Amino acid sequence: MTSKVSNHKEILAAYKGVQLGNANEAATRLKVIDRILREVLGWDDEDISPEERVSEDGSTTYADYVLRTANTAIVVEAKKASANFTIPTGVRKQKLSSSFVSGEVGSAIKQARDYARKLGIDFAAVTNGAIWIIFPAQRHDQVKFSDSNALIFPNLNSLLNEDYQEFIDILSRDAVVDGSLEITLLGRHENQFGTRKLGAAFSPTSKAPGKNPIFPLIEDAVITAFSDSISELDGELLEKCYVSTPDSMKFDNRVSLHISKRENLFKAAPVRPMKSAESNYLRERLATSVSRVKPLAILLLGTVGAGKTTFLHYTRKVKAKSLFEKSDKEPYAHWIYIDFRDCPDPSKSVEFIYEKIKEYFVQDEYFSSYSRSVESAYLKEIDALKKGPLFLISKNKDKFEQVVVDLISKDYEKVTPYVDKLLRHASGECAVFLVIDNVDQIEDEEAQSKLFGETISLGHKLGVNLIMAMRGATYARHKNSPTFDAFDFDPLQIDPPRVSSVLSRRFLLAKQLLEGKKGGFTAEHGAHIKLDNVARIIDLVQSSVLGTEIGHRIEVLAAEDVRFALRMTREFLEFGYSNFGRAWNLYNKDGRYILPKHEAFRAILLGNRNVYSEEFSPIGNPFDAHLSINSTQLLRLYVLSAIVNYASSQTFRHIDGTEIVECLRRIGFGDLITLKVLKDLCKFRFLHTASQSTPDLQSSFVPSRLGGYIVRDLIFYMPFLENVLFDTYIPDGGVWEELRKLSHQIDEARNRIERVDLRIERVKIFVNYLSMLYAPLQEESQKRNLPAEWCGNPFIETKSSLELELGKVAVSVRKNYGENGKSKDEEND
């Protein structure tokens, strides 16, 4: 504090000296303005560009200062201390009208504004050392310069004393990094307006992909076999499509990425029943509980789509099937499965559990029997009524029984007392397993905590065995709560299986479901083709997936999420074949047919939509952070690229969020922007938190295999680039018009060679522009000596690979269609 006051006194004294001495602009800058920028406002040498060249129309001038970060910049035009700045008194905000922008102060404002515009900078300030005027130099929201407001700090004494905090809050480096200029001068952070996305420009006229003509023949089998959940299948079919071995990849040679495993959530390593050595663990624990040694408490954890639900049904219907065989005479074990995907109102989660238990009672032979269950559950209460309050009517059998009927009926209608009494009684005679799945469907943390507490309380109160399945991230949020801390859970970790193995089993199941069925379809040229065995279609379509580049793409894009892999395969089967008649003929001729990988990739990426949109695609857009700010557009790729670079080292384990925050603040991005980018990267499965927790700035992060492929493979893959282009904002007006013009020409072109050449040209322009947009991030990283992992440009690093890819595309289209742009089939027609 003393140092700050001392500095302020020195600066005031220095200003008084240059003012009295009628010092020139250079002395004012050296003795006053330089010190304010560095010592008061906290700008570093790397941030300050003095005498930056401004050239236009053959003339060269120089801006006194440009304060620049990767996120924003401001031109500061300095004048000598004696400069006559006439400003209104007692006014902080002043409209930049012609009456204000006049005289000596007006000339300075116009000069700073023009420098800023020529440099492509949005903000400017003018000062004579004492008076500071800060204003927007150019706007992107149709507001005129003359209708904008400037902020005025009227003298140095007030600026360093009573107005000090306000001055700091608008112009200090930390404040500018957090967006102070945008919020204070413009009222918003965003500077991207309009609809400069090709998807918005072309989606109304673009034709949506048609369904594969054979899909209706295989639709029911595909829906059954490739469903996210196969809980409805009987044990025999479930066993055929269940994969019990986890994906154990540790290093991907194609992108030189070490695959880091996430941290355990428990002090001791959890049981991993997907491994062969521990595959019978849950079955043995169930058997122990059936023998009534001790109530069971199991916590089943796994990532999204890892297969927790499938594992539960496989355990019940296959592994532990014999434990739940029903008996007409003896009590038997019960598996009461409750899936919160079916819960209509998360705020009534406990009521939902009771309703589902009651539904089980209605359908089960034991619980629905009055003599086997209901009578025994109410026996003590009935005896107590008979000996006590209803003693006088107990001799009247009909009257007494009616009272009992009314009592049970009332409990039945209320649900909770009826369930409690029947469960309490049943748990004394046999093993009851209450299985709670997908509690993650409840997003509200308070509702989740209530559910955990009530469910655990229910298990304690009624003596039932409890199995709860949830994502690791959900448990990580609640593991230190009194609810979990007070209960001794047995942890099981479900590791996701290898996607290729899952798809192989599902194709086998689909083929079995279709075996022997007849059908037919109409090919693209109108010919009707009859099939004696529809199951052969599965042989054809799986040959394009299993062991191919398409299957590899599905596995990578899924990022260990089996649900996503199944969804992408379903959409590929539905929309992936535009010329199935030709595919069928080639398959019958050669015994094998592989769909061109670019067609398959497009079907996976788009599904039933005509153009790519991040909102509806299984993969996010790494080229647009969707923050509506030009400088942040490539932050997803910037952060992801750095973390992938770190993960190339064999010693890499994770990178701390605090390190990411520090690096981004050094180049000029605030914490709120950093957090949004990290959350999005995790949401789209490009990154994971090492602890499986919800991402925050204190989390540690590891890249997924998908994240590695984005940076080192998909970034130069033409089908990815030209599809993602449609949902990427193009800030530069000239580039936007060029891309839009090319897109119209592509739509109008009838010759395939010409169309592909135009598409290649469009991709080149897009990538070159992205590389230019990325350059400031690279430059600021290098200038501020960030670690080498942050200082590259992935577009430059993959330039030769992109050229090779585009060259292959050009050669391929000429090979397939010749210079006239027609296929052999079309020439024959």
Side-chain angles (χ1 to χ4, degrees):
M1 184 68 181
T2 304
S3 176
K4 185 179 78 172
V5 171
S6 176
N7 283 352
H8 289 186
K9 286 181 178 179
E10 290 176 11
I11 293 170
L12 284 167
Y15 175 74
K16 189 174 182 179
V18 296
Q19 189 181 38
L20 290 173
N22 196 23
N24 60 20
E25 178 187 311
T28 304
R29 287 174 57 182
L30 177 65
K31 296 179 180 181
V32 180
I33 299 173
D34 279 11
R35 293 192 67 180
I36 290 175
L37 292 177
R38 288 178 168 84
E39 297 171 27
V40 176
L41 297 174
W43 291 92
D44 300 324
D45 289 346
E46 294 85 356
D47 305 319
I48 302 172
S49 176
E51 298 294 331
E52 185 159 327
R53 183 173 178 169
V54 182
S55 300
E56 191 170 309
D57 300 328
S59 62
T60 300
T61 54
Y62 296 89
D64 291 330
Y65 302 92
V66 176
L67 311 180
R68 182 181 281 110
T69 71
N71 188 28
T72 194
I74 180 169
V75 169
V76 178
E77 183 61 23
K79 298 301 178 184
K80 63 183 179 180
S82 59
N84 183 20
F85 278 12
T86 303
I87 58 173
T89 58
V91 174
R92 175 71 76 231
K93 277 190 176 183
Q94 173 64 44
K95 186 168 284 190
L96 292 163
S97 59
S98 56
S99 59
F100 175 62
V101 185
S102 61
E104 200 165 345
V105 71
S107 297
I109 288 173
K110 290 175 183 175
Q111 183 182 11
R113 177 197 65 187
D114 293 345
Y115 285 167
R117 289 179 176 179
K118 289 171 184 176
L119 292 169
I121 293 171
D122 291 343
F123 302 102
V126 297
T127 180
N128 62 359
I131 298 170
W132 288 71
I133 303 170
I134 308 162
F135 57 93
Q138 60 179 347
R139 307 210 34 172
H140 308 275
D141 54 3
Q142 310 304 314
V143 176
K144 296 179 181 178
F145 176 77
S146 58
D147 290 331
S148 300
N149 287 309
L151 284 178
I152 302 173
F153 292 90
N155 62 75
L156 191 57
N157 187 57
S158 68
L159 182 148
L160 295 177
N161 291 293
E162 59 262 29
D163 295 333
Y164 172 75
Q165 192 58 52
E166 189 176 352
F167 186 57
I168 291 293
D169 288 344
I170 178 66
L171 204 55
S172 71
R173 186 188 194 279
D174 284 346
V176 170
V177 164
D178 287 328
S180 60
L181 294 173
E182 291 82 359
I183 291 298
T184 307
L185 297 176
L186 306 178
R188 65 175 70 86
H189 289 288
E190 298 82 3
N191 59 12
Q192 292 182 347
F193 301 96
T195 54
R196 283 191 189 167
K197 290 186 178 182
L198 287 179
F202 288 90
S203 57
T205 58
S206 298
K207 185 180 178 182
K211 277 192 177 184
N212 181 350
I214 52 86
F215 189 71
L217 295 175
I218 63 174
E219 184 170 8
D220 290 342
V222 167
I223 289 173
T224 298
F226 289 86
S227 171
D228 294 349
S229 172
I230 48 178
S231 58
E232 301 304 317
L233 296 181
D234 61 36
E236 183 180 352
L237 292 179
L238 183 56
E239 186 171 14
K240 286 183 178 179
C241 62
Y242 183 74
V243 177
S244 59
T245 52
D247 186 351
S248 57
M249 177 175 284
K250 295 181 179 179
F251 182 78
D252 191 307
N253 287 304
R254 186 160 168 175
V255 291
S256 300
L257 182 74
H258 291 273
I259 313 298
S260 299
K261 295 299 181 184
R262 280 163 276 186
E263 298 169 357
N264 287 331
L265 293 168
F266 302 90
K267 294 178 181 178
V271 173
R272 296 184 180 272
M274 298 295 283
K275 293 184 176 180
S276 57
E278 298 175 320
S279 60
N280 290 315
Y281 180 84
L282 183 55
R283 198 262 178 214
E284 291 167 357
R285 296 290 283 118
L286 295 177
T288 300
S289 185
V290 167
S291 64
R292 306 186 46 70
V293 173
K294 181 184 177 183
L296 186 68
I298 291 285
L299 196 57
L300 190 70
L301 302 180
T303 55
V304 177
K308 299 181 293 295
T309 298
T310 302
F311 173 76
L312 286 171
H313 289 294
Y314 177 73
T315 298
R316 166 63 183 87
K317 295 181 179 181
V318 180
K319 277 278 185 180
K321 179 181 178 181
S322 61
L323 301 178
F324 298 95
E325 291 179 352
K326 296 185 177 182
S327 168
D328 293 334
K329 297 178 181 179
E330 299 297 325
Y332 49 85
H334 299 270
W335 179 277
I336 306 176
Y337 176 78
I338 299 173
D339 190 340
F340 265 85
R341 286 179 294 185
D342 301 327
C343 181
D345 185 356
S347 67
K348 298 180 179 179
S349 56
V350 176
E351 292 91 332
F352 173 71
I353 289 176
Y354 272 97
E355 286 289 350
K356 285 296 179 181
I357 295 174
K358 182 181 173 184
E359 285 180 20
Y360 178 86
F361 287 178
V362 171
Q363 298 167 8
D364 180 73
E365 293 90 336
Y366 172 79
F367 281 106
S368 62
S369 169
Y370 180 79
S371 60
R372 296 183 67 187
S373 174
V374 181
E375 183 179 26
S376 300
Y378 278 87
L379 185 60
K380 288 183 179 179
E381 190 170 355
I382 293 171
D383 284 344
L385 289 173
K386 188 181 293 186
K387 295 175 182 177
L390 299 184
F391 176 77
L392 295 176
I393 65 168
S394 61
K395 303 296 184 183
N396 187 330
K397 184 179 178 182
D398 292 340
K399 197 170 184 178
F400 182 78
E401 287 183 349
Q402 185 58 51
V403 172
V404 172
V405 169
D406 293 341
L407 167 67
I408 296 175
S409 297
K410 190 179 293 183
D411 282 357
Y412 187 84
E413 292 298 322
K414 290 180 179 178
V415 182
T416 300
Y418 183 79
V419 168
D420 282 352
K421 286 168 185 171
L422 267 65
L423 271 186
R424 186 179 288 110
H425 168 73
S427 64
E429 291 194 334
C430 57
V432 178
F433 298 93
L434 182 59
V435 184
I436 309 293
D437 194 11
N438 288 308
V439 294
D440 314 273
Q441 300 302 312
I442 299 177
E443 297 293 340
D444 182 74
E445 287 197 23
E446 187 176 337
Q448 277 186 359
S449 294
K450 179 185 175 184
L451 169 62
F452 296 148
E454 293 285 351
T455 306
I456 292 170
S457 173
L458 182 66
H460 273 303
K461 179 174 67 174
L462 305 178
V464 299
N465 301 285
L466 187 60
I467 301 175
M468 297 183 75
M470 65 187 73
R471 300 172 196 163
T474 303
Y475 173 70
R477 285 201 301 272
H478 298 281
K479 67 178 182 178
N480 295 321
S481 67
T483 299
F484 278 110
D485 197 42
F487 204 78
D488 187 18
F489 277 101
D490 227 353
L492 274 69
Q493 177 74 39
I494 299 298
D495 299 310
R498 189 72 176 263
V499 167
S500 57
S501 300
V502 173
L503 297 183
S504 177
R505 294 288 187 97
R506 299 300 181 95
F507 275 120
L508 186 65
L509 176 59
K511 183 177 180 181
Q512 181 175 331
L513 294 172
L514 292 169
E515 198 66 52
K517 293 184 178 180
K518 296 182 178 182
F521 68 94
T522 301
E524 51 273 14
H525 296 305
H528 186 71
I529 298 175
K530 293 183 178 180
L531 304 174
D532 292 330
N533 186 3
V534 175
R536 289 194 63 214
I537 293 175
I538 300 300
D539 290 330
L540 187 160
V541 295
Q542 77 173 7
S543 69
S544 288
V545 177
L546 301 181
T548 69
E549 178 68 16
I550 298 167
H552 178 261
R553 293 289 183 197
I554 291 175
E555 185 165 326
V556 168
L557 295 181
E560 298 186 337
D561 186 338
V562 177
R563 288 182 188 173
F564 255 116
L566 294 170
R567 169 188 155 186
M568 287 186 282
T569 307
R570 288 197 305 269
E571 292 181 343
F572 160 70
L573 295 175
E574 187 170 359
F575 302 105
Y577 290 81
S578 55
N579 298 306
F580 194 81
R582 180 172 179 271
W584 183 253
N585 288 335
L586 289 172
Y587 176 72
N588 281 325
K589 178 182 176 182
D590 302 330
R592 193 165 187 262
Y593 176 81
I594 297 177
L595 181 71
K597 61 183 180 181
H598 65 276
E599 284 190 39
F601 186 82
R602 188 176 187 278
I604 292 166
L605 206 62
L606 304 188
N608 65 348
R609 301 187 68 80
N610 46 0
V611 293
Y612 169 85
S613 170
E614 177 177 272
E615 182 181 359
F616 301 102
S617 179
I619 184 170
N621 184 353
F623 307 136
D624 194 329
H626 288 281
L627 290 165
S628 299
I629 304 171
N630 291 341
S631 57
T632 68
Q633 176 140 349
L634 288 175
L635 271 188
R636 287 181 182 174
L637 183 64
Y638 174 72
V639 174
L640 178 62
S641 179
I643 298 176
V644 167
N645 288 339
Y646 278 109
S648 298
S649 167
Q650 194 171 359
T651 59
F652 174 79
R653 292 296 175 268
H654 55 70
I655 180 171
D656 291 335
T658 51
E659 184 176 344
I660 298 170
V661 168
E662 180 186 353
C663 288
L664 264 68
R665 284 200 77 86
R666 282 170 64 185
I667 68 168
F669 294 97
D671 296 358
L672 291 177
I673 286 175
T674 301
L675 180 59
K676 176 66 166 59
V677 169
L678 288 171
K679 283 185 173 181
D680 283 348
L681 289 172
C682 289
K683 171 186 174 184
F684 294 117
R685 309 175 325 282
F686 298 164
L687 295 182
H688 301 304
T689 57
S691 64
Q692 305 184 42
S693 59
T694 303
D696 58 37
L697 297 180
Q698 284 71 49
S699 300
S700 297
F701 297 89
V702 297
S704 67
R705 191 176 172 206
L706 170 58
Y709 271 79
I710 289 289
V711 173
R712 295 182 176 167
D713 181 75
L714 293 177
I715 198 174
F716 59 81
Y717 184 48
M718 181 170 168
F720 179 71
L721 289 167
E722 69 171 342
N723 279 292
V724 174
L725 162 62
F726 277 81
D727 194 34
T728 301
Y729 188 88
I730 309 297
D732 185 274
V735 174
W736 164 248
E737 288 300 330
E738 198 170 2
L739 290 172
R740 189 165 64 169
K741 180 182 176 183
L742 270 173
S743 298
H744 280 300
Q745 292 174 354
I746 291 166
D747 273 3
E748 293 166 1
R750 293 295 171 261
N751 181 283
R752 283 187 176 88
I753 304 295
E754 179 188 0
R755 189 185 307 140
V756 169
D757 286 346
L758 289 169
R759 287 166 55 194
I760 289 172
E761 180 64 21
R762 183 172 65 180
V763 166
K764 286 181 179 179
I765 292 170
F766 178 55
V767 173
N768 287 338
Y769 179 64
L770 291 179
S771 183
M772 183 188 72
L773 205 59
Y774 196 95
L777 298 171
Q778 181 186 26
E779 290 166 6
E780 293 297 321
S781 301
Q782 293 172 341
K783 185 167 70 174
R784 295 163 203 282
N785 294 316
L786 264 61
E789 288 83 0
W790 296 90
C791 295
N793 183 327
F795 297 106
I796 294 175
E797 291 158 8
T798 58
K799 184 177 180 180
S800 59
S801 297
L802 176 64
E803 290 173 351
L804 183 62
E805 161 77 3
L806 298 180
K808 286 180 179 178
V809 171
V811 169
S812 176
V813 71
R814 284 165 172 79
K815 179 181 177 182
N816 290 329
Y817 296 104
E819 289 300 329
N820 63 2
K822 290 185 177 181
S823 66
K824 292 180 180 178
D825 290 344
E826 290 171 321
E827 288 176 347
N828 293 334
D829 289 344

